[in-house]
Amino acid sequence: MGARYNGLADWYDARFVVGAPRHQPGLLELLGPGSGPCLDLGCGTGRNFDTIRDSGRTVVGVDRSSDQLRLARTRTDGPLIESDAALLPFAAGSFDTVIAMWISTDLDDFPSALGEAVRVLRPGGLLVCYGVHPAFNGPHVQWNEDGTRLIHPSYRTPGWHDESPAWADDGIRKRVGMRHLPLPDLLNAFLRPELTLERVEEPEGMPVPHALALKARRN
């Protein structure tokens, strides 16, 4: 599968990054103060580089899309590498911190990518995953104008979705689709002997959560 975001970087950056708040809700607090290299897995155009630096860490970015990395290079002097998240070009224990922002719905195999993230963490290293809330955000969810959401029975249908009647014509999912992971599938990916799950949060921002964040530690 090719990089789904190639050809969309300028539109994506203008829509989601330029003018956006410097820190996504709760991310800086989840990271806490730290040091050393932080791998931004699926870094996109570099939206979270400021948060990494403000936490005391240094940026190393990886993304499958060369188009996204083209813009990310305007936001850091650190290493940026085009790579598949499920086959990272780093030795085991290379990083003190790994963040994975909004990638669970874009990858063909999120558990494998998570395994790679754990592999490149040193013992005691921190992993923060933050992204789509599987219960309230996905192809099974209809967003209503009054802020309520209607959940369809297709919640229990995992896999790739190219279409959903809930997706706006000018939104990212209409352009690239998404992979739906029901909540148990997402959480079970973290249940591995090398990892200890420390915290789960539904970051603020909307009355009905649209994001889910997990903080874990490499054993």
Side-chain angles (χ1 to χ4, degrees), residues 53-71:
R53 286 187 288 256
D54 285 354
S55 76
R57 298 167 171 88
T58 58
V59 171
V60 179
V62 164
D63 203 277
R64 183 69 177 81
S65 169
S66 58
D67 197 24
Q68 297 278 77
L69 291 175
R70 170 178 57 86
L71 295 182

Side-chain angles (χ1 to χ4, degrees), residues 140 152-158 180 182 184-185:
H140 58 288
H152 293 273
S154 56
Y155 165 75
R156 293 190 179 276
T157 306
H180 173 55
D185 293 351

Side-chain angles (χ1 to χ4, degrees), residues 22-24 27-28 31 47-57:
R22 293 184 69 235
H23 306 304
Q24 298 196 53
L27 177 58
L28 191 59
L31 280 172
R47 177 178 179 181
N48 298 296
F49 292 170
D50 279 348
T51 303
I52 292 170
R53 286 187 288 256
D54 285 354
S55 76
R57 298 167 171 88

Side-chain angles (χ1 to χ4, degrees), residues 51-135:
T51 303
I52 292 170
R53 286 187 288 256
D54 285 354
S55 76
R57 298 167 171 88
T58 58
V59 171
V60 179
V62 164
D63 203 277
R64 183 69 177 81
S65 169
S66 58
D67 197 24
Q68 297 278 77
L69 291 175
R70 170 178 57 86
L71 295 182
R73 289 190 178 94
T74 68
R75 297 190 169 103
T76 183
D77 294 327
L80 296 177
I81 299 168
E82 183 180 348
S83 176
D84 187 333
L87 192 62
L88 294 174
F90 306 111
S94 296
F95 294 95
D96 301 287
T97 310
V98 176
I99 67 170
M101 303 293 294
W102 301 99
I103 67 171
S104 64
T105 51
D106 287 317
L107 299 178
D108 292 323
D109 188 347
F110 176 70
S112 291
L114 188 64
E116 275 289 88
V118 174
R119 180 185 68 80
V120 302
L121 272 174
R122 64 167 178 79
L126 179 66
L127 172 66
V128 172
C129 292
Y130 186 126
V132 167
H133 195 309

Side-chain angles (χ1 to χ4, degrees), residues 21 23-27 29-30 47 102 130 133 149 199 201-213:
H23 306 304
Q24 298 196 53
L27 177 58
E29 291 75 19
L30 279 168
R47 177 178 179 181
W102 301 99
Y130 186 126
H133 195 309
R149 297 183 205 174
R199 189 168 183 83
E201 291 190 1
E202 295 172 328
E204 296 182 0
M206 295 185 178
V208 178
H210 76 295
L212 184 70

